[in-house]
């Protein structure tokens, strides 16, 4: 074979290789001029383990707090996931009742701030307070108090759950419960904490009669009556905190009655001025409707359809925002993934990332919250897993922790989601812009068993850095260069991009 033929075959192979490479490239075009929701926060809750882990050795508590809250870098990598909201479980007092509470699992009971004689006692729940202070000390500016049940002193059966699937709050105790919330907010403020939100109702669609945990059902009418009472108390006590409603058990209860006619269509019920349960004119009401993403995430097309309905329903009320305020992997999810069984690996983390992506890009959620920050259970409900020990034990980082960090650590409150086009649906891609620097955070989810090549089509962009979470890395920093970036299989990557 002569030289010319060899050269021709070499050049042909290069051309074919380049053509194949170009064909396999996935191109993203950013549209900063197309703007969507402004992000309020990413968060998780202290239920229920903080009450025990707060009693663990100081070094372990500090290490767990760093993983959840730190925005610092350690040897070039994020030390933690930098949550921007901490959700404080405002217990009803089942912990003080012990076994007589009717809640069999001690770890699902919760302490209140009421003493034996019904007086306010801010020395209680001190181990939960420790984590709230640890969050504040690490730059977490937002603190929300959520109540699964009114304090047992204000319930019909003196328990922290319902006996009959109906609201357990005494009809004449709305003012007592409202003033209690005012007193707790004031008490925490005196301790140096600064609650910004109170969520007095949690998953009101469920009956909460099995004693599995603290809980209380409400109709929309009962929620409206309670929230009006809280608003009056906040005004009388000069409490500036916002009231969050209504932590719906599933997102479809926001836009339809479904199987709970008196507890559904909550967007219209609380924010349509024509509704008899309208709350939108209350001084302390947040301009947010909140719901939980449980039981609505599979299959993918159905999940997308439900979230599109949330977005359109919320958009029908000018100025209203949507918070996805609680999620972990429950049920069997149409056979895609089961909630049972602890998973520290990428399977659960990739599923979580898919839910985050859809909630942000279809529902237009301005906040996204995981359920248990710290879990002792054999379930897919934790960011950090622990031995179920009250005074000391081991703790384990999950990939779900670090995948959430791909979002929470870099998409800060005030960032705005922007438009983009993706040439191939193999990757789930979203983009958020820093309002000050105009730099862009690009999140790329690759759930595929093969790697993909990504290219930004905009000519005025410059890659700054990337962070990857996959089977081998936990939000690890990667130096990048060139126009093409490899997105490894089964990974989530965060790119920091500047616009020239």
């Amino acid at each position: 074979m002569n030289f010319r033929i060899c050269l021709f075959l070499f050049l042909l192979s290069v051309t074919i290789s380049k053509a194949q490479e170009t064909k396999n490239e996935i191109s993203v075009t950013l549209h900063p001029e197309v703007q969507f929701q402004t992000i309020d926060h990413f968060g998780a809750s202290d239920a229920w383990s903080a009450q025990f882990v707060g009693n663990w050795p100081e070094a372990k508590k500090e290490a767990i707090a760093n993983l959840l809250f730190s925005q610092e870098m350690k040897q070039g990598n994020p030390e933690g996931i930098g949550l921007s909201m901490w959700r404080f479980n405002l217990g009803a007092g089942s912990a003080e009742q012990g076994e007589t509470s009717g809640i069999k699992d001690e770890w699902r009971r919760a302490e209140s701030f009421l003493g034996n004689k019904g007086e306010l006692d801010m020395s209680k729940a001190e181990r939960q307070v420790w984590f709230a202070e640890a969050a504040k000390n690490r730059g977490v500016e937002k603190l929300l108090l959520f109540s699964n049940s009114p304090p047992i002193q204000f319930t019909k059966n003196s328990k922290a759950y319902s006996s009959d699937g109906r609201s357990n709050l005494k009809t004449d105790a709305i003012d007592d419960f409202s003033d209690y919330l005012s007193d707790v907010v004031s008490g925490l403020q005196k301790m140096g904490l600064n609650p910004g939100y109170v969520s007095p109702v949690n998953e009101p669609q469920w009956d909460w009669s099995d004693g599995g945990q603290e809980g209380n059902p409400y109709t929309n009418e009962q929620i409206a009556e309670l929230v009006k009472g809280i608003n009056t108390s906040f005004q009388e006590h000069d409490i500036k905190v916002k009231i969050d409603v209504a932590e719906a058990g599933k997102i479809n209860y926001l836009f339809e009655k479904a199987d709970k006619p008196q507890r559904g269509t909550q967007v219209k019920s609380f924010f349509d001025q024509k509704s008899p349960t309208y709350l939108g004119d209350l001084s302390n009401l947040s301009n947010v409707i909140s719901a939980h993403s449980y039981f609505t995430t599979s299959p993918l097309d159905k999940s997308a359809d439900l979230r599109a309905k949330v977005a359109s329903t919320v958009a029908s009320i000018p100025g209203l925002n949507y918070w996805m305020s609680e999620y972990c992997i429950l049920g069997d999810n149409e056979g895609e993934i089961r909630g049972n069984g602890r998973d520290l690996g990428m399977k659960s983390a990739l599923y979580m990332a898919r839910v985050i992506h859809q909630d942000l890009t279809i529902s237009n959620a301005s906040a996204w919250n995981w359920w248990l920050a710290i879990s002792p259970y054999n379930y897919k409900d934790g960011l950090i897993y622990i031995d179920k020990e009250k005074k000391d034990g081991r703790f384990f980082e999950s990939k779900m922790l670090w995948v959430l960090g791909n979002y929470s650590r870099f998409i800060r409150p005030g960032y705005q989601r922007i438009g983009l086009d993706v040439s191939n649906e193999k990757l789930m891609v979203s983009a958020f812009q820093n309002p000050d620097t105009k730099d862009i955070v690009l999140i790329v989810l690759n759930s595929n068993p093969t790697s993909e090549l990504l290219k930004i089509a905009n000519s005025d962009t410059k890659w700054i850095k990337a962070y990857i979470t996959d089977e081998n890395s936990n939000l690890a920093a990667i130096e990048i260069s060139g126009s093409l970036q490899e997105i490894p299989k089964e990974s989530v990557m965060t790119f920091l991009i500047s616009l020239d």
Side-chain angles (χ1 to χ4, degrees):
M1 187 178 296
N2 63 37
F3 173 79
R4 289 184 178 181
I5 294 176
C6 288
L7 180 60
F8 171 79
L9 292 175
F10 171 76
L11 293 175
L12 180 62
S13 68
V14 170
T15 301
I16 292 172
S17 176
K18 288 291 184 182
Q20 290 175 338
E21 181 179 75
T22 302
K23 182 180 179 181
N24 293 332
E25 289 176 11
I26 296 177
S27 177
V28 174
T29 304
L30 300 170
H31 298 292
E33 73 284 358
V34 179
Q35 299 177 342
F36 298 99
Q37 76 271 30
T38 298
I39 298 300
D40 290 315
H41 65 263
F42 289 87
S45 81
D46 70 355
W48 292 277
S49 299
Q51 62 182 312
F52 296 118
V53 179
N55 199 40
W56 281 22
E58 200 72 14
K60 291 184 179 180
K61 290 191 298 184
E62 295 283 352
I64 290 172
N66 284 338
L67 288 171
L68 293 169
F69 309 129
S70 177
Q71 299 177 49
E72 301 297 320
M73 291 290 182
K74 190 173 182 179
Q75 298 179 339
N77 300 317
E79 181 180 39
I81 67 170
L83 294 178
S84 44
M85 166 70 91
W86 188 235
R87 293 171 56 85
F88 187 107
N89 180 22
L90 196 59
S94 58
E96 290 90 332
Q97 293 180 312
E99 291 185 2
T100 63
S101 68
I103 298 174
K104 294 180 181 179
D105 185 351
E106 182 180 3
W107 285 64
R108 292 194 175 197
R109 304 171 195 156
E111 195 173 10
S112 81
F113 284 108
L114 288 178
N116 293 332
K117 298 180 180 180
E119 77 284 4
L120 189 73
D121 184 356
M122 294 306 298
S123 68
K124 298 177 73 177
E126 61 180 342
R127 293 181 288 272
Q128 285 182 253
V129 169
W130 186 94
F131 271 97
E133 291 173 337
K136 179 186 175 184
N137 293 338
R138 288 163 175 79
V140 182
E141 297 179 358
K142 299 187 178 185
L143 176 64
L144 180 145
L145 313 179
F146 69 98
S147 173
N148 290 320
S149 164
I152 55 175
Q153 291 85 348
F154 308 143
T155 62
K156 296 173 183 176
N157 63 3
S158 299
K159 303 289 185 182
Y161 62 92
S162 172
S163 297
D164 56 9
R166 299 178 182 179
S167 177
N168 198 26
L169 176 62
K170 293 178 182 177
T171 54
D172 61 352
I174 288 177
D175 290 345
D176 292 332
F177 185 22
S178 300
D179 289 342
Y180 169 72
L181 294 175
S182 292
D183 291 342
V184 170
V185 169
S186 296
L188 291 173
Q189 288 173 339
K190 291 175 183 176
M191 297 166 67
L193 294 171
N194 188 30
Y197 306 89
V198 167
S199 177
V201 174
N202 181 69
E203 298 184 345
Q205 290 80 17
W206 311 145
D207 289 342
W208 297 116
S209 56
D210 64 356
Q213 65 166 81
E214 294 187 347
N216 192 53
Y218 297 89
T219 64
N220 289 346
E221 185 177 352
Q222 291 166 336
I223 292 171
E225 188 178 5
L226 174 59
V227 170
K228 288 175 182 176
I230 296 169
N231 191 80
T232 297
S233 180
F234 280 8
Q235 285 184 311
E236 291 175 349
H237 292 84
D238 195 29
I239 301 293
K240 306 300 183 185
V241 168
K242 292 296 184 180
I243 305 167
D244 171 37
V245 293
E247 305 254 16
K250 294 193 296 183
I251 63 174
N252 59 301
Y253 291 128
L254 295 185
F255 58 81
E256 65 180 2
K257 292 181 180 180
D259 57 337
K260 303 287 183 177
Q262 294 180 306
R263 308 178 194 182
T265 57
Q266 291 191 312
V267 170
K268 298 293 184 182
S269 291
F270 301 136
F271 291 97
D272 187 334
Q273 295 182 20
K274 298 177 182 178
S275 169
T277 52
Y278 176 64
L279 298 174
D281 58 352
L282 298 183
S283 59
N284 285 71
L285 191 76
S286 176
N287 65 332
V288 166
I289 188 79
S290 57
H292 300 172
S293 276
Y294 298 125
F295 310 116
T296 61
T297 58
S298 298
L300 192 63
D301 55 349
K302 181 180 178 181
S303 174
D305 179 62
L306 290 170
R307 280 153 181 77
K309 290 178 180 177
V310 169
S312 62
T313 304
V314 172
S316 70
I317 307 295
L320 186 64
N321 295 309
Y322 166 58
W323 284 2
M324 201 301 294
S325 53
E326 185 182 310
Y327 179 71
C328 72
I329 301 174
L330 294 181
D332 66 1
N333 300 285
E334 303 288 341
E336 291 183 345
I337 189 170
R338 293 184 178 275
N340 287 320
R342 178 184 297 188
D343 177 19
L344 301 179
M346 285 301 296
K347 181 179 180 180
S348 297
L350 292 170
Y351 190 87
M352 168 211 256
R354 191 181 94 179
V355 177
I356 296 175
H357 176 81
Q358 286 198 321
D359 282 337
L360 295 178
T361 63
I362 302 177
S363 298
N364 290 327
S366 60
W368 202 91
N369 295 267
W370 184 255
W371 174 216
L372 301 183
I374 308 166
S375 172
Y377 296 110
N378 185 27
Y379 209 86
K380 297 177 179 66
D381 57 1
L383 299 177
I384 297 170
Y385 285 90
I386 59 168
D387 292 330
K388 201 174 184 180
E389 300 289 343
K390 296 180 184 178
K391 295 185 177 180
D392 194 6
R394 298 169 299 169
F395 64 91
F396 312 90
E397 304 167 24
S398 74
K399 293 295 181 179
M400 290 187 290
L401 170 79
W402 293 109
V403 160
L404 178 56
N406 277 92
Y407 294 85
S408 60
R409 176 61 181 80
F410 300 101
I411 307 170
R412 306 306 302 172
Y415 281 36
Q416 191 163 34
R417 187 168 72 86
I418 62 171
L420 55 78
D421 294 319
V422 185
S423 63
N424 191 305
E425 294 182 355
K426 285 184 177 181
L427 300 178
M428 289 185 172
V429 186
S430 55
F432 305 81
Q433 189 166 42
N434 184 322
D436 299 320
T437 67
K438 304 304 178 184
D439 288 348
I440 291 173
V441 178
L442 188 75
I443 314 290
V444 183
L445 163 61
N446 181 11
S447 297
N448 303 307
T450 57
S451 64
E452 305 292 343
L453 291 174
L454 180 73
K455 181 178 182 179
I456 302 295
N458 305 60
S459 60
D460 58 346
T461 58
K462 179 182 178 182
W463 301 99
I464 301 175
K465 207 158 192 175
Y467 298 86
I468 184 171
T469 301
D470 63 7
E471 201 59 52
N472 302 310
S473 305
N474 294 331
L475 209 58
I478 299 175
E479 297 293 341
I480 54 177
S481 60
S483 59
L484 276 177
Q485 307 302 330
E486 182 181 5
I487 313 298
K489 67 176 184 177
E490 298 173 343
S491 70
V492 181
M493 293 191 71
T494 301
F495 293 93
L496 307 184
I497 300 170
S498 67
L499 294 175
D500 293 336

